[in-house]
Amino acid sequence: MGLYSIYIFPPLMDWLMSGAVFQRFRTDLLQSTRGEVLEIGLGTGLNVPHYPVGVSRLRAVDPAPLLPDRVTERIARAPFPVELSRTGAEHLPYDNHSFDCVVSTWTLCTIPDPVQALQEVRRVLKPTGRLLFLEHGRSDDARTAAWQDRLNPLQNVIGCGCNLNRPIDQLISKAGLHIVQLDRFVMEGVPRIGGELYRGVATPNRTDVSARPETDAR
């Protein structure tokens, strides 16, 4: 990790993603989590204060030690046990069918092999478990997607491995998970190339729940 990725990028992203809109998105997504929960890509721990009392334990993985003092402080304030493992999501150190919920927020854009990570998510979820995801990714507008492709090499550098153009729903389905709820919308106040959001729920097995209509907030 270079000086930029250690000293500049982490505090900048922590500041940007701790804004009121991001916090509201986190609360809305996480309000239904319960039981044994796994978060892939803990980052600086911004999700931790938004988990509800129904969580009995949070386990998290992240190979990058971003702002460790802030992470430690946020974990210490949690009303439930939190265990952090410094490993990537492609090889989760947990038994099959261990978790009621897995959470991924603004993470699948950066994981080197997102399909393998999602296959691991499917493995560790209980048969009745759910993946809750909130990610930015590839636009369904052809012109925007073309710009995402053009700018992606630059984004990889300034975003420390972040990709603008990953089709999140396709990656989830390719890993064998079944999307039962999906909202697509553009985050207000964010350029469309980086503000195209995917928010939803996926399960390791097919269910009778129908996908909700897409939400167009453009």
Side-chain angles (χ1 to χ4, degrees):
M1 298 178 71
L3 294 178
Y4 169 77
S5 62
I6 296 174
Y7 297 108
I8 299 175
F9 179 74
L12 176 62
M13 290 307 299
D14 187 73
W15 174 71
L16 288 173
M17 301 194 72
S18 61
V21 176
F22 285 99
Q23 301 290 41
R24 175 168 56 82
F25 284 164
R26 296 176 196 277
T27 297
D28 291 346
L29 181 75
L30 300 177
Q31 63 182 342
S32 65
T33 52
R34 57 177 175 77
E36 294 281 335
V37 178
L38 169 66
E39 182 174 337
I40 60 171
L42 184 72
T44 58
L46 286 171
N47 279 342
V48 174
H50 298 275
Y51 284 102
V53 294
V55 172
S56 57
R57 176 170 56 178
L58 174 64
R59 287 177 168 169
V61 296
D62 199 315
L66 305 178
L67 304 181
D69 291 342
R70 293 190 200 180
V71 173
T72 298
E73 181 180 352
R74 286 165 179 159
I75 286 176
R77 293 177 179 174
F80 42 76
V82 180
E83 301 173 9
L84 173 58
S85 177
R86 289 299 181 192
T87 187
E90 295 95 337
H91 301 284
L92 295 174
Y94 308 112
D95 294 335
N96 296 349
H97 314 312
S98 296
F99 296 98
D100 298 291
C101 298
V102 176
V103 170
S104 178
T105 60
W106 292 284
T107 296
L108 294 175
C109 59
T110 303
I111 294 175
D113 190 338
V115 172
Q116 183 175 336
L118 287 163
Q119 288 172 338
E120 279 287 272
V121 166
R122 184 170 184 263
R123 178 183 66 80
V124 301
L125 273 172
K126 295 178 181 179
T128 57
R130 298 173 302 148
L131 166 66
L132 307 180
F133 59 91
L134 175 57
E135 303 284 349
H136 75 93
R138 189 173 191 84
S139 176
D140 54 7
D141 175 75
R143 181 177 297 180
T144 303
W147 274 107
Q148 288 176 320
D149 291 339
R150 294 186 190 105
L151 295 174
N152 200 59
L154 177 62
Q155 173 67 11
N156 258 231
V157 175
I158 65 175
C160 293
C162 174
N163 293 272
L164 292 169
N165 58 354
R166 287 183 173 176
I168 301 301
D169 53 346
Q170 295 178 35
L171 297 176
I172 292 171
S173 297
K174 187 175 181 180
L177 290 155
H178 306 284
I179 296 175
V180 297
Q181 177 180 321
L182 177 63
D183 296 326
R184 293 286 308 276
F185 61 100
V186 179
M187 187 173 178
E188 186 175 355
V190 177
R192 191 167 180 178
I193 58 171
E196 291 268 1
L197 297 187
Y198 296 66
R199 177 177 58 200
V201 179
T203 62
N205 299 301
R206 294 190 183 276
T207 72
D208 293 330
V209 179
S210 298
R212 283 169 41 179
E214 292 184 358
T215 300
D216 191 342
R218 293 175 177 81

